[in-house]
Amino acid sequence: MAKQVVEFIRELFKTDGFIPLHAPTFQGNEKRYVTNTIDSTFVSSVGEYVDEFERKLEQFTHSEKVVATVNGTSALHTSLYLAGVATGDMVITQALTFVATCNVITHMGAEPVFVDVSPVSLGMCPHALDEYLQASARLTETGCIHIATGKTIKAVVPMHTFGHPVELEKLSAVCDKWHLVLVEDAAESLGSYYQDKHTGTVGAFGALSFNGNKIITTGGGGAVLCKRKEDGVRAKHLTTQAKVPHPYEFYHDEAAFNFRMPNINAALGCAQMEQLPVFLANKRRLAAHYQDYFENTQFQFVKEPSYARSNYWLNAVICPDTATRNELLTTTNDAGVMTRPVWQLMHRLPMFADADRGELTYSEYLEGHLVNLPSSPVTHFS
């Protein structure tokens, strides 16, 4: 059936040429706004577009405070720093994620711990999280302690896989029970909602990404979503080298980060935000076409959870077996239709091979069965 899938995707995207997995769309004010920054000479981290981009994100997500950063990785780093993660701590995340999630934990001097994902969301499973904690942790006056090592388990970082929101209410309940800080890796989920709440706004902090392959792009960029305004004020301070405002003096009151988004990138982001509702509508139409096509086939199309509204950042199918997955990947890519498998699980990478982990049954199943399909927000769907 792989050849029929190629034909179907070519008909969807109406091209005989190469079809990327997810390409950016520039059909608005991108050139005009970027040219404005060049003409103004304010292309770095001071400029009106940075403030405007943050305001647009606050209005769209209903986050109390948004701070734009240079990329999604730095946004997650800032979020974990604000959550109090320190050297020697442990942070629980999912094995099925992009490597940046775990790199940030490591670069902070902490250790990742891996739990399984849920068939409901493809993101962190609340039952797997609670089962791991029941077996491996205990609560003390100083916090949640890992029994085997005596280290503090500080935070939990679920990732909204392919834009599908995790079961946030259940995860929040587990975090509250074990006195853990919930930090959402919302890199892939701008425009996704858990019930009526935008992803990244349920936990104490959330991290967005605006890489070139995301639903909107600033070239490279990210943002920290803060549940409390005072945390947003501190995030902005930390990401600008902790410089104390002054007309000309340079005084910094703590060791901080150079993570602020440049004005020229924010200009691109402002133009993209103007088109975001159209991108979201077109991506949902694309997902509906995929869902209809794969209905009653050997492939299971990945649908949004019943409690959520997904941005369908990357569409995906689950194949009946690994051989079928491999055939689909080979046939599509040989035909110039880009598909990809899910990431290799984090504990299979050499730098995380010794990380503690719970049972990863469903993560391992997806690793051998899932294929992502072309998902660019094209505009010709009706």
Side-chain angles (χ1 to χ4, degrees):
M1 187 180 171
K3 290 183 178 179
Q4 290 93 322
V5 173
V6 169
E7 293 171 1
F8 173 72
I9 293 174
R10 289 209 172 279
E11 175 60 27
L12 270 182
F13 286 87
K14 300 191 184 307
T15 180
D16 292 328
F18 174 71
I19 300 176
L21 192 68
H22 196 292
T25 300
F26 302 119
Q27 296 180 335
N29 289 309
E30 287 88 355
K31 288 183 180 179
R32 182 160 71 90
Y33 292 172
V34 169
T35 299
N36 287 346
T37 66
I38 294 171
D39 291 342
S40 73
T41 73
F42 287 97
V43 295
S44 293
S45 57
V46 176
E48 62 180 11
Y49 284 111
V50 176
D51 295 335
E52 179 62 20
F53 186 51
E54 290 174 343
R55 283 194 295 268
K56 286 180 179 292
L57 287 168
E58 287 168 0
Q59 292 166 0
F60 185 84
T61 64
H62 297 288
S63 175
E64 282 297 312
K65 183 64 179 174
V66 172
V67 177
T69 61
V70 70
N71 52 46
T73 305
S74 61
L76 186 57
H77 192 142
T78 303
S79 297
L80 290 174
Y81 186 90
L82 290 165
V85 174
T87 299
D89 287 345
M90 303 177 85
V91 176
I92 302 176
T93 188
Q94 54 200 66
L96 187 87
T97 188
F98 181 57
V99 70
T101 310
C102 301
N103 283 342
V104 166
I105 295 168
T106 303
H107 292 157
M108 297 189 71
E111 297 178 18
V113 176
F114 303 124
V115 297
D116 210 356
V117 295
S118 166
V120 175
S121 67
L122 308 192
M124 184 182 289
C125 175
H127 302 296
L129 173 63
D130 196 43
E131 286 176 2
Y132 173 82
L133 290 166
Q134 293 280 3
S136 304
R138 60 187 174 89
L139 271 178
T140 71
E141 292 182 356
T142 59
C144 183
I145 302 300
H146 187 249
I147 295 171
T149 63
K151 294 182 177 182
T152 297
I153 304 175
K154 188 68 179 181
V156 172
V157 184
M159 196 268 286
H160 301 292
T161 307
F162 311 140
H164 299 300
V166 297
E167 298 162 87
L168 282 166
E169 187 174 353
K170 292 180 180 179
L171 286 170
S172 294
V174 176
C175 288
D176 290 344
K177 173 183 173 183
W178 289 91
H179 300 180
L180 300 169
V181 183
L182 178 62
V183 176
E184 297 176 61
D185 185 342
E188 301 173 358
S189 63
L190 179 63
S192 294
Y193 294 84
Y194 172 81
Q195 297 178 1
D196 61 345
K197 296 179 180 178
H198 194 283
T199 53
T201 67
V202 175
F205 304 96
L208 296 173
S209 171
F210 310 117
N211 188 35
N213 67 347
K214 295 302 189 294
I215 193 162
I216 69 164
T217 185
T218 57
V224 182
L225 307 183
C226 300
K227 200 166 189 177
R228 304 188 308 168
K229 280 191 176 180
E230 54 265 40
D231 287 329
V233 171
R234 178 153 166 72
K236 195 158 189 174
H237 184 60
L238 285 169
T239 55
T240 54
Q241 304 277 30
K243 183 180 183 298
V244 176
H246 190 279
Y248 50 85
E249 292 284 1
F250 285 88
Y251 181 77
H252 307 260
D253 58 8
E254 62 181 300
F257 314 113
N258 182 20
F259 283 170
R260 287 288 285 154
M261 177 181 285
N263 196 43
I264 195 167
N265 296 84
L268 190 63
C270 286
Q272 290 272 284
M273 283 297 294
E274 292 171 354
Q275 302 164 81
L276 179 56
V278 174
F279 293 165
L280 288 167
N282 288 334
K283 287 179 74 63
R284 289 187 66 82
R285 292 187 188 106
L286 174 61
H289 282 283
Y290 276 132
Q291 183 175 340
D292 288 345
Y293 177 76
F294 287 109
E295 195 76 29
N296 301 317
T297 71
Q298 61 182 328
F299 300 100
Q300 176 192 343
F301 179 72
V302 177
K303 298 183 287 188
E304 65 191 0
S306 60
Y307 55 76
R309 184 174 178 85
S310 176
N311 67 2
Y312 282 101
W313 172 58
L314 282 187
N315 292 289
V317 289
I318 299 173
C319 303
D321 51 59
T322 301
T324 304
R325 182 206 74 149
N326 293 343
E327 180 187 4
L328 181 60
L329 288 167
T330 300
T331 301
T332 51
N333 283 285
D334 285 350
V337 174
M338 187 176 179
T339 60
R340 75 172 191 196
V342 76
W343 315 278
Q344 289 192 28
L345 300 183
M346 292 299 100
H347 69 286
R348 302 201 196 282
L349 304 181
M351 58 281 200
F352 305 126
D354 296 328
D356 199 23
R357 58 185 182 268
E359 294 292 329
L360 301 173
T361 305
Y362 195 62
S363 301
E364 291 170 350
Y365 176 81
L366 291 175
E367 184 183 40
H369 291 75
L370 188 140
V371 173
N372 285 123
L373 306 168
S375 301
S376 302
V378 292
T379 59
H380 60 257
F381 296 117
S382 58

